Amino acid sequence: MPRFTYGGQALIEGVMMRGRDAVAVALRHPDGRIVWATERLESGFRGRPYAKWPFVRGLVVLYETLVMGTRWLVRSAGLQAEDEGIEIGKGGVALMLGITAVLGIGLFFILPLVVATFTAGNIENDVVQHLTEGLVRVLIFIGYLALISRTPDIRRVFQYHGAEHMTIHALEADKPLRPEEIRQFPTAHPRCGTEFLVVVILISIIAFSLVGRQTPLVMIASRILLIPVIAAVGYEVLRLGARHRGNPLVKVLMYPGILVQMITTKQPTDDMIEVAIVAMEETLRADGEAVPAGGLDLERDPMPEPGETAAAVRAMTEADDAAVAGESGAPAVAPRAAEGEAVAPVSIDPPLAG
């Protein structure tokens, strides 16, 4: 088993796996093929000593996950609707991240404070107001997840989420990456981002209670300014919990995160597990790790680059294979798109490696 602890993220009809030095993405193309790509982890913080410090490393991982995850989420959606085309650059991704951050802070941090202030603000005991705020935050969080999980598209994302977790479980157990082996494992995982959010919510109740009852402006500012601190502490708590998962007390404390994953992960189909397997194998290769023996050797194609057609990618790949085998040394010429065949959506910055 690789020494590094691998993680991942579900996408639209696909999975992104995060390794030590790179991420790999595998998507189910609308024509049924599995396409993949890799990208180096180059956030600007990589290699710097402080990026591995406790309480700093969590913020680095969170930043990389948000930026890279948003870009690939957009691209995975674009691949499923490539006949319409999509053009989103760094500015578009930054705008989406900004809007998401504002909505998230407003919904999960400011709104609970407002509700608690109007419902329990007249009670002299500050603990009651803070507990009310925490309860409202939990109810909003669970209600939001339960609501979006009822939509067919999000349910499929949650199935890919389950496939991602099950594949990581299999890797950590030194099992061959095959659907029948992977199905032995649960869809919940102790290092899941959902569990991280649950931990953040619980820590926020403690952190905001320490602030106490202040003027409305100070209380709102504290909810915003303490988010990075809470996230950094939450990451360390999650790491500690994953390392000591066998401890009965730790199991009890972290169990709420497992329960919430009953909403955010679903049992995947075999073809979804195959996509997760490709993402994991390509991540291992990008990190220079050995792919576990006994796999399926699933067929896969490089993901189309900007402006390329699926036919062009297939032709170039076949020509390269023929040249390596000595059957043909002639350079391949990319064909024009077949009638009705869509062109890959315009790329998202930065360009992909791999």
Side-chain angles (χ1 to χ4, degrees):
M1 182 184 74
R3 293 184 298 273
F4 185 79
T5 51
Y6 284 76
Q9 174 183 330
L11 303 173
I12 306 298
E13 296 299 325
V15 171
M16 179 180 75
M17 291 290 187
R18 176 193 173 93
R20 180 182 59 249
D21 302 312
V23 298
V25 174
L27 304 173
R28 181 69 69 175
H29 195 279
D31 65 11
R33 295 176 299 121
I34 298 177
V35 295
W36 65 276
T38 59
E39 180 178 353
R40 307 303 296 177
L41 285 168
E42 296 176 350
S43 63
F45 301 105
R46 308 291 295 181
R48 298 177 183 260
Y50 61 78
K52 296 183 179 180
W53 292 354
F55 304 106
V56 175
R57 57 192 174 190
L59 296 178
V60 173
V61 170
L62 183 61
Y63 170 78
E64 291 179 342
T65 301
L66 286 174
V67 173
M68 197 169 289
T70 300
R71 279 198 285 105
W72 277 111
L73 189 63
V74 170
R75 183 157 188 184
S76 67
L79 186 70
Q80 299 306 313
E82 62 178 8
D83 55 326
E84 299 175 6
I86 186 170
E87 184 176 0
I88 297 184
K90 292 181 179 179
V93 172
L95 178 62
M96 291 182 63
L97 282 172
I99 294 174
T100 301
V102 170
L103 291 177
I105 292 172
L107 184 62
F108 297 113
F109 288 92
I110 305 303
L111 180 59
L113 173 63
V114 172
V115 173
T117 299
F118 279 99
T119 57
N122 294 327
I123 299 176
E124 293 184 3
N125 192 337
D126 290 352
V127 175
V128 175
Q129 181 174 347
H130 295 309
L131 289 177
T132 301
E133 180 183 349
L135 178 61
V136 172
R137 186 172 294 113
V138 170
L139 292 177
I140 291 176
F141 178 63
I142 299 298
Y144 170 78
L145 292 178
L147 180 63
I148 65 173
S149 69
R150 300 178 65 87
T151 64
D153 289 343
I154 297 300
R155 182 177 180 82
R156 287 188 63 83
V157 172
F158 287 172
Q159 286 180 280
Y160 276 104
H161 193 191
E164 171 229 320
H165 284 178
M166 294 162 72
T167 303
I168 293 173
H169 274 304
L171 178 75
E172 293 172 341
D174 288 324
K175 295 291 185 180
L177 298 183
R178 304 173 65 92
E180 61 269 24
E181 296 283 351
I182 289 172
R183 283 208 175 276
Q184 301 176 29
F185 298 95
T187 60
H189 195 283
R191 293 196 310 275
C192 175
T194 303
E195 189 156 315
F196 170 73
L197 293 176
V198 173
V199 170
V200 163
I201 288 176
L202 296 178
I203 293 175
S204 70
I205 297 175
I206 300 173
F208 297 150
S209 66
L210 296 177
V211 174
R213 189 176 301 191
Q214 308 290 337
T215 63
L217 185 60
V218 171
M219 293 181 72
I220 290 175
S222 70
R223 270 52 178 177
I224 298 173
L225 295 177
L226 283 177
I227 289 176
V229 177
I230 294 170
V233 173
Y235 179 81
E236 298 301 325
V237 170
L238 195 64
R239 281 175 58 97
L240 187 66
R243 190 178 302 118
H244 300 284
R245 203 65 178 202
N247 185 295
L249 179 60
V250 172
K251 282 186 176 181
V252 171
L253 293 175
M254 305 300 284
Y255 191 62
I258 297 295
L259 289 178
V260 175
Q261 289 185 60
M262 295 175 64
I263 301 176
T264 62
T265 63
K266 305 295 181 185
Q267 277 293 331
T269 59
D270 281 353
D271 63 326
M272 293 176 176
I273 294 177
E274 290 174 355
V275 172
I277 290 172
V278 171
M280 177 56 75
E281 290 179 344
E282 296 302 333
T283 306
L284 290 168
R285 291 192 179 100
D287 275 353
E289 298 280 358
V291 174
L296 290 179
D297 193 23
L298 294 164
E299 293 187 8
R300 65 202 72 181
D301 293 320
M303 193 173 298
E305 292 288 351
E308 288 181 326
T309 65
V313 174
R314 286 194 296 272
M316 295 292 288
T317 302
E318 290 169 1
D320 288 343
D321 291 342
V324 170
E327 298 175 7
S328 172
V333 179
R336 296 175 62 85
E339 184 176 354
E341 182 171 32
V343 173
V346 176
S347 175
I348 313 165
D349 293 325
L352 301 175

